[in-house]
Amino acid sequence: MREITVGLDGVSDEQYADIVNAIWMQMNAIGCDFTVTPDRQAVPAQLDKRWDDYSQVSWEEGGRRGTPQAVAAGADQLGMLDRADSGE
């Protein structure tokens, strides 16, 4: 088995939970056999709660609509469609 160690300094408990969950999500998406082991300071219930909080984001209700990134992505998509229609 191969192993990676990530050391974090100055992160809040919420940021730590986000990082642990993001690593888990990425490894799950790749589809390999893996283990993510939080440090001894981590409280499993807090990690689980943070995971549950992600489901509170609603794309339909504007979870990211209106952010600069979403506006730029929407503009780019429209630009791509306009270029495709013009034969460029």
Side-chain angles (χ1 to χ4, degrees):
M1 177 191 301
R2 299 191 68 182
E3 190 170 311
I4 297 171
T5 302
V6 178
L8 304 168
D9 189 25
V11 297
S12 68
D13 289 343
E14 188 172 89
Q15 289 171 315
Y16 182 83
D18 284 338
I19 293 165
V20 170
N21 284 314
I23 292 170
W24 186 92
M25 286 185 281
Q26 183 62 44
M27 296 305 299
N28 190 51
I30 292 170
C32 61
D33 188 22
F34 68 95
T35 301
V36 175
T37 306
D39 66 17
R40 293 180 184 186
Q41 295 175 11
V43 178
Q46 289 176 339
L47 299 176
D48 289 344
K49 180 179 180 334
R50 188 65 184 142
W51 178 264
D52 292 342
D53 287 346
Y54 301 146
S55 68
Q56 302 304 311
V57 175
S58 170
W59 289 92
E60 184 177 356
E61 298 300 322
R64 286 188 45 141
R65 197 174 321 142
T67 65
Q69 296 87 349
V71 170
D76 184 52
Q77 287 176 350
L78 292 174
M80 294 286 287
L81 290 174
D82 290 344
R83 287 191 300 273
D85 291 340
S86 69
E88 289 182 25

